[in-house]
Amino acid sequence: MKHILLAGAALASAAAPAWARDLTIEDVATLSRVGAPAISADGRWLVWQQRETDLAANRGRLDLWRLDLRTRGAKPEKLVAEADVNEAAPQFSRDGRTVYFQSDKGGEDAVWSVAVTGGAPTQLTHIPGGFSGFKVSPDDTKLLVWADRKPGAPGLEPAMVKKDPNAGSGRTYDQLFVRHWDTWSNGDRSQLFVLPLSAQGATGNGTPIVGDLIGDTPSKPFGGGEELAWSPDGKTIYFALREAGRIESTSTNLDIFAAPADGSAAPVNLTAENDGTDTLPTVSPDGKWLAYVSMARAGYEADRQVLKLRNLATGDVRALTEGWDRSVASIAWAPDGKSLFVTAQDTQEEPIFTVDAKSGKVTRLTQQGVVSAVLPTRTGAVFAMNSLIAPDDFYALTGEKVTRLTSVNAAKLAGIDMPKVDRFSFAGANGDTVWGYSVRPASLAADAKAPVAFIVHGGPQGSSNNSWSYRWNPAVFAGAGYAVVSVDFHGSTGYGQAFTDAIRNNWGGWPLEDLQKGLAAATSKFSYLDGANTCALGASYGGYMMNWIEGQWPDRFKCIVQHDGVFDARAMAYETEELWFDEWEHGGKTYYEDPEAFEKWNPVHHVTKWKTPQLVITSEKDFRIPYTQGLAAFTALQRRGIDSRLLVFPDENHWVLKPKNSMQWYGEVLGWLNKYTGK
């Protein structure tokens, strides 16, 4: 698919005037963002939500767009785009004539419908207290809604709670989670309800589906409609849920349940035998097979996701991709039910593959780029894809032929030169092949050198892959005159499960060796890198690595940027919310059971070696790596007299998402780099 990316670049350069300039964060913050695509059953219409940035209001706003796939030369058109209203999550009716969507018109979310050819939308629900998402049944007669309500709620109507006028403001808890990601628990759970649906609307209080189960479905904080599925006949709902209780904060055991859509029986656990994660239930077109992904090891959130098939008549289960050393990220059945489209990370890319439903044979369909959504059609698929130098757009796949369908940001990117991306590999820790990339600024003269921004990814089970980002965007750093180098150290994903597993009990070992060797390899290979003028940056695990580098590699960098990084492993073990992650990474025991495992790679023990100027960034709503870790690191820097600066966002979580905050983040980070590289 290399020709697609080159074609996109050629399109941009052809439109670029002589005064072509570099990319800035102001450009990125105002780009349109496509997402949540849906396609009609006959393959004619593509509809998606598109986010536009309202800088004045410091937020994004969503509209619905459509594209006629059968008309040659058709251009995207707005379908529903009311000012100051969010229209999102489009879904098609069975006949492809109607689009259902979620809208906050009037101040509270509701399900609406509109003809795909346009017209006045119709409001279908009036749900007091709002809801989070919905899925229409395949026969258009029922509406599945998920909403936060008290466990065991008999319907969607929020319970009336009488408050003692003399009560204090304190909250009480008897077990974890007391907070999760960026929210304190108030006892509500994401639960499922079914309402009857007609052209006139979906009325009633809803029939509860989860029964006596206590947990969140979809899962929190990131689960969505991909964790829920209707059977083709509309009689059964499949959903993923991790049962709550005292073990919730230490358990990755999502199970897949089946429940009758009329609420006539309790849900049945279909994956009770597996204590690892089971999720992404996806029913075959004929209703005979349930596809899903499964992790074998309990307590490990980054285990390999194997594609499995369950015979819904017999209960027999087959592991379809057991022999394929890649982790399945998404699932979609081909219309004929003979194969499945999946995505999976592979060596800094995330392509589309097909998996034969009988043999399990895997065939790669795309090459470069990260595919973010796949919609099977009778002739192939429509998909969304992005790369390091291009935000998401839509493409059509027919056989091996790929056709670009949209250039959503062509006008906004006209006149902007994108950087050049170079891949490289080297022998890292243990002699293993390790991959990385280097990004060369577009405006850099042929014989010039650029200061280096050495960016370390988070996760740690993640990847510095060929993807567009709105938070840590290499093209923005390149636009500011920095060459970016990133290395997929041991622990990264897309290279086989053993490589991913290698970071366990090894946080400051092989990964640091890979980073040291990788930076040396890149600066030796690419003459445009000014290796002597380099700053290191990282967030989350990458932020941990910045604190570790301060004590273990203190003379290499002109400056450091540390965002949401672990400073003290002991405090982190007791302060974070998803305990399974921290405990698995350090051997599977609690801190008090095996303190040595946590202390072995603890940055706090090496503060006496710290000397590199550091910018510390943290957020008050970050409960994953609480802001106290950032405050502690800043205190250490200040007490040692090291030039340092602290940036705290009161309204952000583990990620910086608001447009103005994002621009402030880049301003501070690039300002810090400029100060120490002399740029």
Side-chain angles (χ1 to χ4, degrees), residues 521-573:
T523 53
S524 174
K525 184 176 180 64
F526 304 116
S527 60
Y528 59 85
L529 297 176
D530 186 355
N533 200 14
T534 300
C535 288
L537 311 86
S540 198
Y541 172 83
Y544 157 85
M545 182 53 71
M546 295 304 103
N547 289 331
W548 188 244
I549 283 172
E550 279 277 11
Q552 304 298 317
W553 201 8
D555 298 307
R556 179 61 182 88
F557 299 103
K558 292 289 187 69
C559 70
I560 283 174
V561 176
Q562 182 259 111
H563 183 159
D564 292 345
V566 175
F567 170 76
D568 183 353
R570 178 170 63 174
M572 171 69 176

Coordinates of all heavy atoms in Angstrom, one line a residue, residues 521-573:
A521 N 22.7 3.9 17.0 CA 22.5 3.4 15.7 C 21.9 4.5 14.8 O 22.4 4.6 13.6 CB 21.6 2.2 15.7
A522 N 21.0 5.2 15.2 CA 20.3 6.2 14.4 C 21.2 7.4 14.1 O 21.3 7.8 12.9 CB 19.1 6.7 15.1
T523 N 22.0 7.9 15.1 CA 22.8 9.0 14.9 C 24.0 8.6 14.0 O 24.6 9.5 13.3 CB 23.3 9.6 16.2 OG1 23.9 8.6 17.0 CG2 22.2 10.2 17.0
S524 N 24.4 7.3 14.0 CA 25.5 6.9 13.1 C 25.0 6.7 11.7 O 25.7 7.0 10.7 CB 26.0 5.5 13.6 OG 26.9 5.0 12.7
K525 N 23.7 6.3 11.5 CA 23.2 6.0 10.2 C 22.7 7.3 9.5 O 22.9 7.3 8.2 CB 22.0 5.0 10.4 CG 21.4 4.6 9.1 CD 20.3 3.5 9.3 CE 19.6 3.0 8.0 NZ 20.6 2.3 7.2
F526 N 22.1 8.2 10.2 CA 21.5 9.4 9.5 C 22.3 10.6 9.8 O 22.3 11.1 10.9 CB 20.0 9.5 10.0 CG 19.2 8.3 9.8 CD1 18.7 7.6 10.8 CD2 19.0 7.8 8.5 CE1 17.9 6.5 10.7 CE2 18.2 6.6 8.3 CZ 17.7 6.0 9.4
S527 N 22.9 11.2 8.7 CA 23.8 12.3 8.9 C 23.1 13.6 9.3 O 23.8 14.5 9.8 CB 24.6 12.5 7.6 OG 23.7 12.8 6.5
Y528 N 21.8 13.6 9.1 CA 21.1 14.9 9.5 C 20.8 15.0 11.0 O 20.3 16.0 11.5 CB 19.8 15.0 8.7 CG 18.8 13.9 8.9 CD1 17.9 13.8 10.0 CD2 18.8 12.8 8.0 CE1 17.0 12.8 10.1 CE2 17.9 11.8 8.1 CZ 17.0 11.8 9.2 OH 16.1 10.8 9.4
L529 N 21.1 13.9 11.8 CA 20.9 13.9 13.2 C 22.1 14.5 13.9 O 23.2 14.1 13.8 CB 20.6 12.5 13.7 CG 19.4 11.8 13.2 CD1 19.4 10.3 13.7 CD2 18.1 12.5 13.5
D530 N 21.8 15.6 14.7 CA 22.8 16.2 15.6 C 22.8 15.5 16.9 O 22.2 15.9 17.9 CB 22.6 17.7 15.7 CG 23.7 18.4 16.5 OD1 24.6 17.7 16.9 OD2 23.6 19.6 16.6
G531 N 23.5 14.3 17.0 CA 23.5 13.5 18.2 C 24.0 14.2 19.4 O 23.7 13.8 20.5
A532 N 24.9 15.2 19.2 CA 25.4 15.9 20.4 C 24.5 16.9 20.9 O 24.7 17.5 22.0 CB 26.7 16.6 20.0
N533 N 23.4 17.1 20.3 CA 22.4 18.2 20.7 C 21.0 17.5 20.8 O 20.2 17.7 19.9 CB 22.4 19.3 19.7 CG 21.8 20.6 20.2 OD1 21.6 20.7 21.4 ND2 21.5 21.5 19.4
T534 N 20.8 16.7 21.8 CA 19.7 15.8 21.9 C 19.0 16.0 23.3 O 19.6 16.1 24.3 CB 20.1 14.4 21.8 OG1 20.7 14.2 20.5 CG2 18.9 13.4 21.9
C535 N 17.6 16.0 23.2 CA 16.8 16.0 24.4 C 16.0 14.7 24.4 O 15.6 14.3 23.3 CB 15.9 17.2 24.6 SG 16.8 18.7 25.0
A536 N 15.7 14.2 25.6 CA 14.8 13.0 25.7 C 13.5 13.3 26.2 O 13.4 14.2 27.1 CB 15.5 11.9 26.6
L537 N 12.4 12.6 25.7 CA 11.1 12.9 26.1 C 10.3 11.6 26.3 O 10.5 10.7 25.5 CB 10.4 13.8 25.1 CG 11.0 15.1 24.6 CD1 11.9 14.8 23.4 CD2 10.0 16.1 24.2
G538 N 9.3 11.6 27.2 CA 8.5 10.4 27.3 C 7.3 10.6 28.3 O 7.4 11.5 29.2
A539 N 6.2 9.9 28.1 CA 5.1 10.0 28.9 C 4.7 8.6 29.4 O 4.9 7.6 28.7 CB 3.9 10.6 28.2
S540 N 4.1 8.5 30.6 CA 3.6 7.2 31.2 C 4.8 6.3 31.4 O 5.7 6.8 32.1 CB 2.6 6.6 30.3 OG 1.8 5.6 31.0
Y541 N 4.9 5.1 30.8 CA 6.2 4.4 31.0 C 7.3 5.2 30.4 O 8.4 5.2 31.0 CB 6.1 3.0 30.3 CG 7.5 2.4 30.2 CD1 7.9 1.6 31.3 CD2 8.3 2.5 29.1 CE1 9.2 1.0 31.4 CE2 9.6 1.9 29.1 CZ 10.0 1.2 30.2 OH 11.2 0.6 30.3
G542 N 7.1 5.9 29.3 CA 8.2 6.8 28.8 C 8.6 7.8 29.8 O 9.8 8.2 29.9
G543 N 7.6 8.3 30.6 CA 8.0 9.2 31.7 C 8.8 8.6 32.8 O 9.7 9.2 33.3
Y544 N 8.4 7.3 33.1 CA 9.2 6.5 34.0 C 10.6 6.5 33.5 O 11.6 6.7 34.3 CB 8.6 5.1 34.2 CG 9.7 4.1 34.6 CD1 10.0 4.0 36.0 CD2 10.4 3.4 33.7 CE1 11.0 3.1 36.4 CE2 11.4 2.5 34.2 CZ 11.7 2.4 35.5 OH 12.7 1.5 35.9
M545 N 10.8 6.2 32.2 CA 12.1 6.0 31.6 C 12.9 7.3 31.7 O 14.1 7.3 31.9 CB 12.0 5.5 30.2 CG 13.4 5.3 29.5 SD 14.5 4.2 30.4 CE 13.7 2.6 30.3
M546 N 12.2 8.5 31.6 CA 12.9 9.8 31.8 C 13.5 9.9 33.2 O 14.7 10.3 33.4 CB 12.0 10.9 31.5 CG 11.4 11.0 30.1 SD 12.7 11.1 28.8 CE 12.7 9.4 28.2
N547 N 12.7 9.5 34.2 CA 13.2 9.5 35.6 C 14.4 8.5 35.8 O 15.3 8.7 36.5 CB 12.1 9.2 36.6 CG 11.1 10.4 36.6 OD1 11.5 11.5 36.4 ND2 9.9 10.1 37.0
W548 N 14.3 7.3 35.1 CA 15.3 6.3 35.2 C 16.6 6.8 34.5 O 17.7 6.6 35.0 CB 14.8 5.0 34.6 CG 15.7 3.8 34.8 CD1 16.3 3.1 33.8 CD2 16.0 3.2 36.0 NE1 17.0 2.1 34.3 CE2 16.8 2.1 35.7 CE3 15.7 3.4 37.3 CZ2 17.4 1.2 36.7 CZ3 16.2 2.6 38.3 CH2 17.0 1.5 38.0
I549 N 16.4 7.4 33.3 CA 17.6 7.9 32.6 C 18.3 9.0 33.4 O 19.5 9.1 33.4 CB 17.1 8.5 31.2 CG1 16.9 7.4 30.2 CG2 18.1 9.5 30.7 CD1 16.2 7.8 28.9
E550 N 17.5 9.8 34.2 CA 18.2 10.8 35.0 C 19.3 10.2 35.9 O 20.3 10.8 36.1 CB 17.1 11.5 35.9 CG 16.3 12.6 35.2 CD 17.0 13.9 35.2 OE1 18.2 14.0 35.5 OE2 16.4 14.9 34.8
G551 N 19.0 9.0 36.4 CA 20.0 8.4 37.3 C 20.9 7.4 36.7 O 21.9 7.0 37.3
Q552 N 20.5 6.9 35.5 CA 21.3 5.8 34.9 C 22.1 6.2 33.6 O 23.0 5.5 33.1 CB 20.4 4.7 34.5 CG 19.6 4.1 35.6 CD 20.4 3.5 36.7 OE1 21.4 2.8 36.4 NE2 20.1 3.8 38.0
W553 N 21.7 7.3 33.0 CA 22.3 7.9 31.8 C 22.4 9.4 31.9 O 21.9 10.1 31.0 CB 21.4 7.4 30.6 CG 22.1 7.3 29.2 CD1 23.4 7.5 28.9 CD2 21.4 7.2 28.0 NE1 23.6 7.4 27.6 CE2 22.4 7.2 27.0 CE3 20.1 7.0 27.7 CZ2 22.0 7.0 25.6 CZ3 19.7 6.8 26.3 CH2 20.7 6.8 25.3
P554 N 23.0 9.9 33.0 CA 22.8 11.3 33.3 C 23.6 12.3 32.5 O 23.3 13.5 32.5 CB 23.3 11.3 34.8 CG 24.3 10.2 34.9 CD 23.7 9.1 34.0
D555 N 24.5 11.8 31.6 CA 25.4 12.7 30.9 C 25.0 12.8 29.4 O 25.8 13.4 28.6 CB 26.8 12.4 31.1 CG 27.3 12.5 32.5 OD1 27.1 13.5 33.1 OD2 27.8 11.5 33.1
R556 N 24.0 12.2 29.0 CA 23.7 12.0 27.5 C 22.9 13.2 26.9 O 23.1 13.5 25.8 CB 23.0 10.7 27.3 CG 22.7 10.4 25.8 CD 24.0 10.4 25.0 NE 23.8 10.2 23.5 CZ 23.6 11.2 22.7 NH1 23.5 12.5 23.1 NH2 23.4 11.0 21.4
F557 N 22.0 13.7 27.7 CA 21.0 14.6 27.1 C 21.1 16.1 27.6 O 21.5 16.3 28.8 CB 19.6 14.1 27.4 CG 19.3 12.7 26.8 CD1 19.3 11.6 27.6 CD2 19.2 12.6 25.4 CE1 19.1 10.3 27.1 CE2 19.0 11.3 24.9 CZ 18.9 10.2 25.7
K558 N 20.8 17.0 26.7 CA 20.8 18.4 27.1 C 19.6 18.7 28.0 O 19.7 19.6 28.9 CB 20.7 19.3 25.8 CG 21.9 19.2 24.9 CD 23.1 19.9 25.5 CE 24.3 20.0 24.6 NZ 24.0 21.0 23.4
C559 N 18.5 18.0 27.8 CA 17.4 18.2 28.7 C 16.4 17.0 28.6 O 16.6 16.2 27.7 CB 16.6 19.5 28.3 SG 15.7 19.4 26.7
I560 N 15.5 17.0 29.5 CA 14.5 15.9 29.6 C 13.1 16.5 29.8 O 12.9 17.5 30.5 CB 14.8 15.0 30.7 CG1 16.0 14.0 30.3 CG2 13.6 14.1 31.2 CD1 16.5 13.2 31.5
V561 N 12.1 15.9 29.1 CA 10.7 16.2 29.4 C 10.0 14.9 29.9 O 10.0 13.9 29.2 CB 10.0 16.7 28.1 CG1 8.5 16.9 28.3 CG2 10.7 17.9 27.5
Q562 N 9.5 15.0 31.1 CA 8.9 13.8 31.7 C 7.4 14.1 32.0 O 7.1 15.1 32.7 CB 9.6 13.5 33.1 CG 9.1 12.3 33.8 CD 8.1 12.7 35.0 OE1 6.9 12.5 34.9 NE2 8.7 13.3 36.0
H563 N 6.5 13.3 31.4 CA 5.1 13.5 31.5 C 4.5 12.3 32.1 O 4.6 11.2 31.6 CB 4.5 13.8 30.1 CG 3.1 14.1 30.1 ND1 2.4 14.7 29.0 CD2 2.1 13.8 31.0 CE1 1.2 14.8 29.2 NE2 0.9 14.3 30.4
D564 N 3.8 12.5 33.3 CA 3.0 11.4 33.9 C 3.9 10.2 34.1 O 3.5 9.0 33.8 CB 1.8 11.0 33.1 CG 0.7 12.1 33.1 OD1 0.9 13.0 34.0 OD2 -0.2 12.1 32.3
G565 N 5.1 10.3 34.6 CA 6.0 9.2 34.8 C 6.1 8.7 36.2 O 5.9 9.5 37.2
V566 N 6.4 7.5 36.4 CA 6.6 6.9 37.8 C 7.9 7.4 38.3 O 8.9 7.3 37.7 CB 6.5 5.4 37.7 CG1 6.9 4.8 39.1 CG2 5.2 4.9 37.2
F567 N 7.8 8.0 39.5 CA 9.0 8.4 40.2 C 9.4 7.5 41.4 O 10.6 7.2 41.6 CB 8.8 9.8 40.7 CG 9.9 10.3 41.7 CD1 11.1 10.7 41.2 CD2 9.7 10.4 43.0 CE1 12.1 11.2 42.0 CE2 10.6 10.9 43.9 CZ 11.9 11.3 43.4
D568 N 8.4 7.0 42.1 CA 8.6 6.2 43.2 C 7.8 4.9 43.1 O 6.5 5.0 43.2 CB 8.3 6.9 44.5 CG 8.6 6.1 45.8 OD1 8.9 4.9 45.7 OD2 8.5 6.6 46.9
A569 N 8.4 3.8 42.8 CA 7.6 2.5 42.6 C 6.8 2.1 43.8 O 5.7 1.5 43.6 CB 8.6 1.4 42.1
R570 N 7.3 2.4 45.0 CA 6.5 1.9 46.1 C 5.2 2.7 46.2 O 4.1 2.2 46.4 CB 7.3 2.1 47.4 CG 6.5 1.7 48.7 CD 7.3 1.6 49.9 NE 7.9 2.9 50.3 CZ 8.6 3.1 51.4 NH1 8.8 2.1 52.3 NH2 9.1 4.3 51.7
A571 N 5.3 4.1 46.1 CA 4.1 4.9 46.2 C 3.2 4.5 45.0 O 1.9 4.4 45.2 CB 4.5 6.4 46.1
M572 N 3.7 4.3 43.8 CA 2.9 3.9 42.7 C 2.1 2.6 42.9 O 0.9 2.5 42.6 CB 3.8 3.7 41.4 CG 3.1 3.2 40.2 SD 1.9 4.3 39.5 CE 1.4 3.3 38.1
A573 N 2.7 1.7 43.6 CA 2.0 0.4 43.8 C 0.8 0.6 44.7 O -0.1 -0.2 44.6 CB 3.0 -0.6 44.5

